[in-house]
Amino acid sequence: DYSYDWIDIYDGPIDDSQALYHKICGTTIPPTVFSSTNELLIQFRTDESVSRSGFKIKVDNGMSEET
């Protein structure tokens, strides 16, 4: 339900950048997000009506560890 909290993900540093995902919410895990540059903007939107556990995100810079 988009009337509560959601996140938007943009391919760049500003919200005029291309939207990769718009209004992600709920319990469904979206596909992996890849940026065309080294920057992503993740905006959290809330209606502030209810406080519960929020979103979880995992970030990987794509660099492999050297051994």
Side-chain angles (χ1 to χ4, degrees):
D1 186 349
Y2 297 139
S3 62
Y4 299 107
D5 302 338
W6 69 86
I7 59 172
D8 296 324
I9 302 176
Y10 298 92
D11 189 12
I14 58 174
D15 60 7
D16 282 340
S17 302
Q18 177 184 352
L20 297 175
Y21 286 99
H22 183 58
K23 291 191 173 180
I24 299 170
C25 66
T27 58
T28 302
I29 298 172
T32 301
V33 175
F34 293 96
S35 173
S36 65
T37 67
N38 63 346
E39 296 180 289
L40 287 172
L41 173 65
I42 302 169
Q43 287 186 326
F44 174 72
R45 307 286 186 157
T46 182
D47 67 352
E48 300 178 358
S49 67
V50 177
S51 293
R52 293 192 178 168
S53 8
F55 293 88
K56 189 186 293 186
I57 189 167
K58 178 182 177 184
V59 177
D60 183 345
N61 66 5
M63 303 291 289
S64 62
E65 292 182 26
E66 293 185 31
T67 55

